[in-house]
Amino acid sequence: MEHKPLTSIDRLSLNQITTDRWSLREAVEGSVRADIPWIALWRHKVAETGLAESRRLVRDAGLRVSSLCRGGMFPAASVEERRAKIDDNRRAVDEAAELGADVLVLVCGPAPDKDIAGARRMVEEGIAKLAPYAESCGVRLGIEPLHPMYAAERSVINTLAQANAIAEQYSPNQVGVVVDVFHVWWDPELYSQIERARGRILGFHVSDWIVPTPDLLMGRGMMGDGVIDLRRIRHAVEDAGYDGPIEVEIFNQAIWDRPGDEVLSLMKERYLQHC
Amino acid sequence: MEHKPLTSIDRLSLNQITTDRWSLREAVEGSVRADIPWIALWRHKVAETGLAESRRLVRDAGLRVSSLCRGGMFPAASVEERRAKIDDNRRAVDEAAELGADVLVLVCGPAPDKDIAGARRMVEEGIAKLAPYAESCGVRLGIEPLHPMYAAERSVINTLAQANAIAEQYSPNQVGVVVDVFHVWWDPELYSQIERARGRILGFHVSDWIVPTPDLLMGRGMMGDGVIDLRRIRHAVEDAGYDGPIEVEIFNQAIWDRPGDEVLSLMKERYLQHC
């Protein structure tokens, strides 16, 4: 089966972590200079700039917000802590709604102890508590499975199968999944789980897995610099009905250290070459 | 369900990579001093000492060999390279037989390109070619799924489900699986796949997943220093019929830098406390 390249950047989104040294204002202005139509925002960047001002900057620039990163982090040792986390997630939903982001990305959180199965149940409970509120605000929750190497520190949801099993308990208007190639490329069930997610894919994130991998967190590569079959995965999510924005989300110190305009230029080039 | 601790070290095996600075002779002598009854050998250490001399040292010390590490590395770009890898695996089988190791551990290898599914087929083909020879030598092949963070560099077999699916094509006298907690602890299917492996578990390896994780390769911890529920996993493999040796296999520079006798002493203590 032939997999055709993309011919325009009309679905390209800058996940602003890719230009981590830029403020939200700088990321917005850089995206406009580069003709990139979408942007994904992070809550800590929005907080630095202020919610109302962030909203104004994005709207005035004519950008569309592909997602807000991130809600989640549900498991905790006590009922009080778990309740506080739900409260924080409600605020994240409010911010997403205010910013015009259809999707709040959920990084579901690590276990507070050695009981990973228990932590997974806490994630399910947290999403159950959050979903009705999110729907009432017009924000969908996108469960992003994280690579198993983050199971102890960032999320106990580590496969698309897990994310699908939770999302299927809800209407697609409430909860879906986010497919980030860096987290799922290795999965033997990748293509069957993408197909299973049909109608529930709320986001698609690209980067690459570089070899040798220099670091657990900061080791992501620019598209084309690694071993991931990006185009095949993109076609699979499209075959499963997804035609939304494609976010470039890269944690990599060498990329962060480069001037943002250069990164956006390279990103556009690699997007058309490799995605 | 109560999970009882181990009360003796009669199943404890030193995987010699845990004391990487020791030669095979030193590891054998250290194990004898520490009353550790089993040892797992690495091919490059055996090669340094010589096969016949390694065999003599282990036998004279009265140690039993829990496994030889490692065969595998099956995928390659050309037929010739794949054939050469099978030849090398036959030599690994010969060495395992000579050393009295019942099990050759298979680290199955990375893909030569972006086609991870193709590489997985090459692994299946490689094992199919190797298994009859191994059986004729009295050596069983233990497929060790490696953590997904090693998918690009060490093995495209990343879950117990994959290992089981291959092993089930053979008699348990030919091919089985090796459960290493570091590689599989995160897997949502861990306990169901251990049960599925009943009668085919050929080895059980322990260490720990430390937080924060300092490094992809060298970040393993001593048992008890991390987040893995070691005792629950041990009980699960025992409930699935495994009563063989338990190898301690730790890649960690800080541990490698300590005197070997100290490491063995700590290892015994932690084994009884946490496994």
XYZ file of all heavy atoms in Angstrom, chain A residues 178-267:
729
model
N -5.508 10.162 22.492
C -4.526 10.919 21.735
C -3.392 9.972 21.361
O -2.853 9.272 22.228
C -3.991 12.108 22.564
C -2.833 12.784 21.861
C -5.113 13.111 22.847
N -3.068 9.925 20.095
C -2.025 9.030 19.606
C -0.740 9.835 19.403
O -0.679 10.698 18.519
C -2.441 8.377 18.271
C -1.325 7.478 17.737
C -3.742 7.590 18.432
N 0.250 9.573 20.223
C 1.557 10.218 20.084
C 2.542 9.133 19.655
O 2.778 8.168 20.394
C 1.977 10.849 21.408
C 3.315 11.570 21.313
O 4.256 11.002 20.693
O 3.441 12.687 21.825
N 3.103 9.302 18.479
C 3.936 8.232 17.913
C 5.089 7.839 18.822
O 5.475 6.663 18.872
C 4.489 8.627 16.525
C 3.354 8.844 15.527
C 5.398 9.849 16.606
N 5.648 8.808 19.522
C 6.789 8.514 20.396
C 6.406 7.504 21.479
O 7.215 6.666 21.874
C 7.283 9.816 21.040
C 8.487 9.666 21.928
C 9.761 9.633 21.384
C 8.352 9.574 23.311
C 10.885 9.503 22.206
C 9.464 9.448 24.134
C 10.735 9.414 23.577
N 5.182 7.589 21.944
C 4.753 6.726 23.042
C 4.294 5.348 22.578
O 4.372 4.393 23.346
C 3.607 7.401 23.807
C 4.008 8.663 24.506
N 5.040 8.714 25.403
C 3.526 9.934 24.429
C 5.175 9.960 25.869
N 4.272 10.711 25.279
N 3.823 5.239 21.365
C 3.134 3.998 20.961
C 3.775 3.253 19.790
O 3.324 2.163 19.441
C 1.653 4.285 20.612
C 0.919 4.917 21.804
C 1.527 5.182 19.377
N 4.820 3.787 19.193
C 5.347 3.211 17.951
C 5.775 1.761 18.103
O 5.722 0.984 17.152
C 6.532 4.044 17.440
C 7.773 3.851 18.251
C 8.089 4.490 19.407
C 8.858 2.943 17.981
N 9.299 4.036 19.883
C 9.787 3.091 19.031
C 9.125 2.017 16.955
C 10.971 2.351 19.092
C 10.296 1.271 17.025
C 11.215 1.454 18.072
N 6.230 1.382 19.299
C 6.775 0.044 19.559
C 5.677 -1.008 19.739
O 5.977 -2.206 19.753
C 7.586 0.098 20.866
C 6.681 0.495 21.983
C 6.387 1.774 22.388
C 5.851 -0.367 22.772
N 5.426 1.758 23.383
C 5.095 0.463 23.637
C 5.690 -1.756 22.832
C 4.179 -0.055 24.545
C 4.773 -2.270 23.731
C 4.033 -1.417 24.578
N 4.432 -0.588 19.934
C 3.379 -1.481 20.418
C 2.980 -2.508 19.352
O 2.553 -2.124 18.256
C 2.166 -0.628 20.809
C 1.072 -1.423 21.519
O 1.087 -2.660 21.466
O 0.191 -0.778 22.111
N 3.084 -3.797 19.667
C 2.687 -4.819 18.680
C 1.225 -4.691 18.278
O 0.847 -5.156 17.211
C 2.940 -6.150 19.410
C 3.811 -5.830 20.567
C 3.619 -4.385 20.906
N 0.415 -4.079 19.131
C -1.013 -3.908 18.817
C -1.317 -2.537 18.233
O -2.500 -2.148 18.132
C -1.852 -4.091 20.097
C -1.794 -5.485 20.667
C -2.716 -5.625 21.882
O -3.543 -4.725 22.133
O -2.586 -6.644 22.570
N -0.290 -1.785 17.841
C -0.515 -0.393 17.436
C -1.626 -0.234 16.404
O -2.567 0.542 16.593
C 0.792 0.208 16.904
C 0.684 1.612 16.330
C 0.163 2.598 17.364
C 2.042 2.073 15.790
N -1.534 -0.974 15.317
C -2.481 -0.731 14.226
C -3.883 -1.242 14.546
O -4.876 -0.606 14.182
C -1.928 -1.291 12.909
C -0.676 -0.522 12.518
C 0.595 -1.027 12.765
C -0.777 0.755 11.970
C 1.736 -0.291 12.463
C 0.355 1.503 11.665
C 1.606 0.969 11.914
O 2.720 1.713 11.623
N -3.959 -2.346 15.259
C -5.293 -2.820 15.638
C -5.932 -1.889 16.673
O -7.150 -1.662 16.642
C -5.230 -4.267 16.166
O -4.375 -4.361 17.287
N -5.120 -1.316 17.537
C -5.694 -0.402 18.537
C -6.044 0.952 17.925
O -6.986 1.620 18.385
C -4.736 -0.237 19.721
C -4.581 -1.511 20.561
C -5.863 -1.926 21.277
O -6.731 -1.107 21.571
N -5.977 -3.222 21.563
N -5.323 1.379 16.911
C -5.722 2.604 16.200
C -7.075 2.379 15.528
O -7.974 3.213 15.588
C -4.641 3.022 15.178
C -3.416 3.609 15.903
C -5.205 4.043 14.178
C -2.231 3.926 14.986
N -7.219 1.226 14.897
C -8.496 0.918 14.262
C -9.622 0.846 15.305
O -10.722 1.362 15.084
C -8.384 -0.403 13.489
C -9.675 -0.892 12.874
C -10.366 0.139 11.966
O -9.668 0.944 11.330
O -11.625 0.146 11.927
N -9.303 0.246 16.442
C -10.291 0.162 17.529
C -10.719 1.553 18.001
O -11.849 1.739 18.459
C -9.685 -0.627 18.697
C -10.561 -0.721 19.934
C -9.865 -1.506 21.043
N -10.571 -1.422 22.310
C -10.092 -1.846 23.482
N -8.890 -2.417 23.534
N -10.797 -1.725 24.585
N -9.813 2.529 17.895
C -10.091 3.895 18.374
C -10.911 4.712 17.380
O -11.169 5.900 17.617
C -8.776 4.606 18.684
N -11.307 4.097 16.289
C -12.073 4.808 15.239
C -13.165 5.693 15.848
O -13.959 5.255 16.667
C -12.698 3.781 14.298
C -13.677 4.354 13.258
C -14.210 3.262 12.332
N -13.131 2.721 11.518
C -12.658 3.281 10.413
N -13.183 4.422 9.969
N -11.664 2.726 9.752
N -13.168 6.955 15.440
C -14.183 7.872 15.935
C -13.859 8.485 17.286
O -14.556 9.385 17.748
N -12.796 7.988 17.915
C -12.430 8.488 19.250
C -11.030 9.080 19.276
O -10.501 9.362 20.351
C -12.464 7.349 20.267
C -13.809 6.702 20.403
C -13.789 5.562 21.435
N -15.072 4.865 21.423
C -16.137 5.284 22.080
N -16.077 6.367 22.814
N -17.281 4.615 22.012
N -10.402 9.225 18.136
C -9.052 9.801 18.128
C -9.192 11.326 18.180
O -9.783 11.937 17.292
C -8.263 9.354 16.885
C -8.109 7.822 16.892
C -6.885 10.040 16.861
C -7.469 7.262 15.632
N -8.660 11.899 19.231
C -8.834 13.339 19.464
C -7.553 14.123 19.192
O -7.562 15.357 19.308
C -9.287 13.590 20.904
C -10.588 12.913 21.336
C -10.973 13.359 22.735
C -11.708 13.226 20.344
N -6.475 13.438 18.868
C -5.239 14.140 18.579
C -4.191 13.184 18.049
O -4.270 11.969 18.280
N -3.256 13.758 17.292
C -2.163 12.954 16.727
C -0.882 13.782 16.866
O -0.826 14.914 16.386
C -2.471 12.630 15.256
C -1.414 11.814 14.573
C -0.923 10.639 15.155
C -0.897 12.203 13.337
C 0.049 9.877 14.512
C 0.077 11.443 12.698
C 0.543 10.285 13.289
N 0.090 13.222 17.575
C 1.340 13.933 17.856
C 2.512 13.234 17.170
O 2.602 12.009 17.211
C 1.636 13.945 19.361
C 0.616 14.648 20.187
N 0.737 14.784 21.550
C -0.556 15.269 19.857
C -0.315 15.463 22.028
N -1.102 15.748 21.016
N 3.384 14.021 16.572
C 4.543 13.426 15.901
C 5.858 13.982 16.464
O 5.924 15.104 16.958
C 4.493 13.643 14.371
C 3.316 12.895 13.772
C 4.447 15.118 14.006
N 6.875 13.141 16.358
C 8.263 13.447 16.691
C 9.016 12.218 16.176
O 8.553 11.588 15.209
C 8.449 13.643 18.207
O 8.143 12.463 18.914
N 10.124 11.829 16.782
C 10.778 10.605 16.320
C 11.547 9.977 17.480
O 11.778 10.628 18.498
C 11.712 10.898 15.141
C 11.726 9.751 14.121
O 11.497 8.595 14.535
O 11.943 10.022 12.928
N 11.889 8.708 17.304
C 12.659 7.970 18.320
C 14.083 7.824 17.782
O 14.311 7.089 16.822
C 12.045 6.592 18.574
C 12.737 5.850 19.676
C 13.930 5.189 19.600
C 12.294 5.716 21.036
N 14.259 4.659 20.816
C 13.269 4.970 21.715
C 11.169 6.154 21.736
C 13.155 4.645 23.071
C 11.057 5.822 23.078
C 12.035 5.080 23.740
N 15.002 8.559 18.398
C 16.362 8.557 17.865
C 17.219 7.462 18.493
O 16.985 7.035 19.620
C 17.025 9.944 17.999
C 16.867 10.528 19.396
C 16.432 10.890 16.973
C 17.500 11.924 19.543
N 18.189 7.010 17.709
C 19.054 5.885 18.107
C 20.511 6.321 17.979
O 20.897 6.786 16.904
C 18.794 4.669 17.195
C 19.779 3.549 17.495
C 17.355 4.177 17.385
N 21.349 6.178 19.006
C 20.951 5.736 20.350
C 20.124 6.796 21.054
O 20.270 7.980 20.787
C 22.294 5.516 21.062
C 23.268 6.384 20.347
C 22.788 6.469 18.927
N 19.269 6.342 21.967
C 18.368 7.234 22.689
C 19.138 7.874 23.846
O 19.586 7.174 24.745
C 17.165 6.435 23.232
O 16.650 5.623 22.183
C 16.081 7.382 23.721
N 19.305 9.192 23.814
C 20.202 9.808 24.794
C 19.624 9.950 26.192
O 20.374 10.018 27.163
C 20.477 11.190 24.185
C 19.338 11.455 23.269
C 18.810 10.135 22.819
N 18.291 9.984 26.323
C 17.713 10.328 27.619
C 16.252 9.918 27.629
O 15.582 9.940 26.597
C 17.824 11.857 27.814
C 17.389 12.301 29.199
O 18.181 12.160 30.135
O 16.247 12.788 29.332
N 15.735 9.566 28.793
C 14.345 9.129 28.873
C 13.373 10.251 28.524
O 12.383 10.029 27.828
C 14.003 8.631 30.284
C 14.254 7.156 30.570
C 15.681 6.900 30.980
C 13.301 6.636 31.617
N 13.623 11.452 29.042
C 12.670 12.536 28.812
C 13.052 13.409 27.624
O 12.210 13.760 26.803
C 12.550 13.417 30.066
C 11.544 14.571 29.921
C 10.140 14.057 29.639
C 11.554 15.459 31.157
N 14.335 13.757 27.547
C 14.766 14.759 26.582
C 15.330 14.145 25.312
O 16.034 14.811 24.560
C 15.793 15.673 27.231
C 15.237 16.456 28.427
S 13.892 17.573 27.953
C 14.864 18.780 27.064
N 15.006 12.888 25.055
C 15.619 12.194 23.940
C 14.786 12.126 22.672
O 15.121 11.376 21.756
N 13.725 12.901 22.583
C 12.908 12.826 21.358
C 13.612 13.521 20.197
O 14.338 14.495 20.394
C 11.570 13.520 21.562
C 10.701 12.827 22.547
C 9.278 13.299 22.382
N 8.551 13.088 23.620
C 7.234 13.215 23.735
N 6.510 13.548 22.684
N 6.645 12.992 24.879
N 13.325 13.058 19.002
C 13.952 13.639 17.831
C 12.956 14.337 16.927
O 11.739 14.138 17.016
N 13.489 15.164 16.040
C 12.713 15.772 14.960
C 12.303 14.659 13.984
O 13.040 13.688 13.789
C 13.585 16.825 14.279
C 12.919 17.610 13.180
S 11.442 18.536 13.688
C 12.186 19.913 14.604
N 11.155 14.820 13.376
C 10.659 13.809 12.432
C 11.724 13.525 11.363
O 12.284 14.453 10.775
C 9.387 14.293 11.757
C 8.222 14.520 12.697
S 8.289 16.131 13.535
C 7.759 17.213 12.212
N 11.980 12.257 11.133
C 12.977 11.875 10.141
C 14.328 11.552 10.734
O 15.174 10.960 10.068
N 14.556 11.937 11.976
C 15.846 11.656 12.605
C 15.871 10.310 13.320
O 16.897 9.945 13.899
C 16.206 12.759 13.614
C 16.646 14.047 12.919
O 16.996 13.975 11.726
O 16.648 15.106 13.577
N 14.772 9.589 13.297
C 14.728 8.346 14.068
C 14.143 7.187 13.292
O 14.184 7.167 12.055
N 13.599 6.238 14.020
C 13.205 4.950 13.444
C 11.695 4.762 13.283
O 11.249 3.702 12.854
C 13.760 3.783 14.292
C 15.276 3.836 14.337
C 13.178 3.786 15.708
N 10.915 5.779 13.628
C 9.459 5.589 13.581
C 8.931 5.738 12.153
O 9.293 6.680 11.445
C 8.745 6.593 14.508
C 9.252 6.438 15.948
C 7.229 6.391 14.452
C 8.633 7.422 16.940
N 8.067 4.806 11.769
C 7.439 4.850 10.446
C 6.264 5.824 10.513
O 5.090 5.437 10.561
C 6.990 3.438 10.051
C 6.625 3.348 8.577
O 6.416 4.411 7.944
O 6.543 2.215 8.067
N 6.587 7.122 10.503
C 5.595 8.172 10.756
C 4.453 8.148 9.750
O 3.283 8.306 10.095
C 6.282 9.541 10.704
C 7.318 9.772 11.807
C 8.169 10.996 11.478
C 6.629 9.951 13.142
N 4.826 7.979 8.496
C 3.786 8.074 7.461
C 2.787 6.931 7.575
O 1.580 7.121 7.415
C 4.430 8.107 6.069
C 3.426 8.411 4.980
C 4.093 8.875 3.705
N 4.787 10.138 3.894
C 5.775 10.583 3.122
N 6.174 9.866 2.082
N 6.352 11.745 3.372
N 3.294 5.750 7.879
C 2.380 4.615 8.021
C 1.416 4.838 9.190
O 0.219 4.531 9.082
C 3.188 3.326 8.237
C 2.301 2.118 8.263
C 3.031 0.793 8.333
N 2.034 -0.263 8.516
C 2.273 -1.456 9.035
N 3.503 -1.776 9.401
N 1.314 -2.333 9.174
N 1.931 5.375 10.266
C 1.065 5.607 11.425
C 0.051 6.717 11.112
O -1.126 6.616 11.449
C 1.890 5.933 12.689
C 2.858 4.782 13.010
C 0.968 6.187 13.885
C 3.813 5.054 14.180
N 0.511 7.776 10.429
C -0.441 8.833 10.062
C -1.569 8.280 9.201
O -2.755 8.578 9.416
C 0.244 9.989 9.323
C -0.789 11.035 8.845
C -0.204 12.190 8.097
N 0.480 11.865 6.877
C -0.082 11.674 5.678
N -1.396 11.733 5.536
N 0.663 11.407 4.620
N -1.224 7.468 8.215
C -2.268 6.887 7.372
C -3.215 6.030 8.198
O -4.421 6.032 7.952
C -1.639 6.091 6.227
C -1.300 6.957 5.059
N -2.169 7.184 4.018
C -0.198 7.691 4.798
C -1.610 8.007 3.156
N -0.412 8.329 3.592
N -2.682 5.328 9.185
C -3.556 4.484 10.015
C -4.547 5.330 10.802
O -5.736 4.992 10.873
C -2.714 3.621 10.956
N -4.093 6.440 11.388
C -5.049 7.264 12.148
C -6.049 7.918 11.191
O -7.222 8.098 11.540
C -4.379 8.326 13.071
C -3.470 7.659 14.105
C -3.620 9.371 12.309
N -5.608 8.242 9.993
C -6.561 8.795 9.017
C -7.561 7.733 8.569
O -8.760 8.013 8.448
C -5.809 9.387 7.819
C -5.079 10.675 8.218
C -4.200 11.238 7.109
O -4.120 10.613 6.026
O -3.599 12.298 7.343
N -7.055 6.523 8.331
C -7.969 5.440 7.961
C -8.990 5.185 9.066
O -10.092 4.683 8.798
C -7.192 4.149 7.666
C -6.398 4.242 6.367
O -6.648 5.174 5.582
O -5.516 3.384 6.151
N -8.628 5.517 10.297
C -9.564 5.364 11.423
C -10.410 6.617 11.615
O -11.078 6.769 12.637
C -8.796 5.032 12.701
N -10.373 7.526 10.644
C -11.313 8.639 10.647
C -10.787 9.965 11.161
O -11.516 10.959 11.191
N -9.513 10.016 11.548
C -8.993 11.266 12.105
C -8.480 12.178 10.992
O -7.623 11.776 10.207
C -7.850 10.980 13.090
C -7.337 12.248 13.740
C -8.078 12.889 14.728
C -6.121 12.810 13.365
C -7.626 14.059 15.324
C -5.654 13.977 13.954
C -6.419 14.589 14.939
O -5.973 15.757 15.518
N -9.009 13.396 10.956
C -8.498 14.350 9.972
C -8.181 15.703 10.619
O -8.170 16.736 9.955
C -9.489 14.528 8.813
C -10.850 15.032 9.298
O -11.000 15.306 10.517
O -11.764 15.143 8.471
N -7.918 15.670 11.912
C -7.647 16.898 12.660
C -6.181 17.296 12.620
O -5.384 16.766 11.836
N -5.831 18.251 13.481
C -4.464 18.778 13.503
C -3.419 17.732 13.899
O -3.721 16.759 14.587
C -4.542 19.892 14.550
C -5.783 19.629 15.335
C -6.720 18.925 14.428
N -2.211 17.957 13.433
C -1.078 17.079 13.731
C -0.051 17.908 14.495
O 0.562 18.820 13.940
C -0.481 16.506 12.429
C -1.550 15.704 11.673
C 0.754 15.663 12.738
C -1.101 15.182 10.309
N 0.084 17.582 15.769
C 0.984 18.370 16.627
C 2.416 17.834 16.578
O 2.637 16.632 16.673
C 0.525 18.296 18.090
C -0.751 19.025 18.398
C -1.094 18.982 19.897
O -0.195 18.698 20.722
O -2.263 19.231 20.226
N 3.344 18.766 16.516
C 4.757 18.400 16.676
C 5.140 18.721 18.117
O 5.097 19.878 18.530
C 5.646 19.181 15.699
C 7.114 18.861 15.962
C 5.268 18.856 14.259
N 5.472 17.672 18.864
C 5.755 17.823 20.300
C 7.101 17.174 20.600
O 7.211 15.955 20.632
C 4.651 17.154 21.127
C 4.833 17.349 22.623
C 3.806 16.588 23.457
O 3.333 15.527 23.007
O 3.504 17.054 24.560
N 8.109 17.997 20.818
C 9.464 17.471 20.977
C 10.130 18.015 22.231
O 10.297 19.228 22.385
C 10.337 17.811 19.743
C 9.670 17.297 18.461
C 11.736 17.217 19.903
C 10.428 17.608 17.185
N 10.488 17.090 23.107
C 11.318 17.412 24.268
C 12.754 17.055 23.882
O 13.100 15.875 23.790
C 10.930 16.552 25.471
C 9.555 16.792 26.019
C 8.428 16.323 25.372
C 9.387 17.486 27.208
C 7.160 16.536 25.893
C 8.112 17.688 27.737
C 6.997 17.215 27.077
N 13.580 18.053 23.654
C 14.954 17.759 23.239
C 15.791 19.022 23.462
O 15.524 20.059 22.848
C 14.963 17.350 21.764
C 16.360 17.035 21.260
O 17.273 17.839 21.380
N 16.530 15.859 20.691
N 16.774 18.925 24.324
C 17.520 20.117 24.712
C 18.198 20.772 23.518
O 18.227 22.002 23.404
C 18.563 19.779 25.792
C 19.103 20.994 26.519
C 18.013 21.742 27.277
O 17.282 21.158 28.058
N 17.873 23.049 27.015
N 18.738 19.966 22.612
C 19.446 20.546 21.459
C 18.476 21.353 20.596
O 18.831 22.418 20.069
C 20.101 19.436 20.638
N 17.254 20.850 20.456
C 16.242 21.582 19.680
C 15.785 22.820 20.454
O 15.633 23.900 19.880
C 15.071 20.642 19.311
C 15.553 19.641 18.251
C 13.854 21.427 18.826
C 14.555 18.564 17.880
N 15.626 22.678 21.761
C 15.221 23.826 22.571
C 16.269 24.948 22.524
O 15.929 26.121 22.682
C 15.000 23.398 24.028
C 13.756 22.582 24.225
C 12.888 22.149 23.268
C 13.243 22.096 25.469
N 11.867 21.428 23.836
C 12.057 21.378 25.188
C 13.663 22.183 26.798
C 11.295 20.763 26.184
C 12.905 21.575 27.791
C 11.737 20.876 27.490
N 17.519 24.555 22.352
C 18.594 25.557 22.357
C 18.718 26.298 21.023
O 19.447 27.284 20.927
C 19.940 24.896 22.703
C 20.014 24.486 24.171
O 19.201 24.995 24.973
O 20.885 23.654 24.517
N 18.052 25.826 19.991
C 18.131 26.499 18.685
C 17.125 27.655 18.602
O 16.094 27.625 19.279
C 17.820 25.491 17.560
C 18.891 24.422 17.430
C 18.542 23.444 16.339
N 18.540 24.065 15.004
C 18.450 23.370 13.872
N 18.353 22.056 13.913
N 18.456 23.993 12.715
N 17.393 28.650 17.791
C 16.405 29.727 17.617
C 15.066 29.152 17.148
O 15.022 28.288 16.259
C 17.037 30.607 16.526
C 18.499 30.309 16.582
C 18.609 28.865 16.990
N 13.985 29.649 17.744
C 12.665 29.105 17.455
C 12.291 29.149 15.983
O 11.693 28.201 15.451
N 12.647 30.224 15.308
C 12.285 30.320 13.883
C 12.944 29.215 13.061
O 12.338 28.682 12.124
C 12.668 31.694 13.321
C 11.738 32.807 13.827
O 10.539 32.526 14.056
O 12.219 33.940 14.005
N 14.177 28.894 13.420
C 14.857 27.780 12.739
C 14.140 26.458 12.993
O 13.996 25.631 12.093
C 16.283 27.629 13.282
C 17.319 28.507 12.624
C 18.703 28.199 13.180
O 19.005 27.015 13.493
O 19.477 29.162 13.330
N 13.717 26.261 14.228
C 13.026 25.013 14.582
C 11.729 24.889 13.788
O 11.421 23.825 13.239
C 12.752 24.957 16.104
C 11.873 23.754 16.452
C 14.062 24.906 16.880
N 10.977 25.987 13.682
C 9.707 25.937 12.946
C 9.939 25.683 11.457
O 9.172 24.950 10.815
C 8.917 27.229 13.157
C 7.904 27.185 14.314
C 8.519 26.744 15.615
C 7.197 28.519 14.461
N 10.987 26.258 10.932
C 11.309 26.038 9.525
C 11.654 24.568 9.270
O 11.135 23.925 8.347
C 12.477 26.956 9.145
O 12.933 26.637 7.868
N 12.518 24.024 10.127
C 12.898 22.614 10.001
C 11.687 21.705 10.190
O 11.498 20.718 9.457
C 13.971 22.289 11.053
C 14.485 20.855 11.069
C 15.210 20.510 9.761
C 15.433 20.633 12.266
N 10.869 22.051 11.146
C 9.688 21.274 11.473
C 8.733 21.185 10.270
O 8.196 20.113 9.964
C 9.026 22.022 12.632
C 7.881 21.397 13.296
S 7.400 22.526 14.690
C 5.820 23.085 14.079
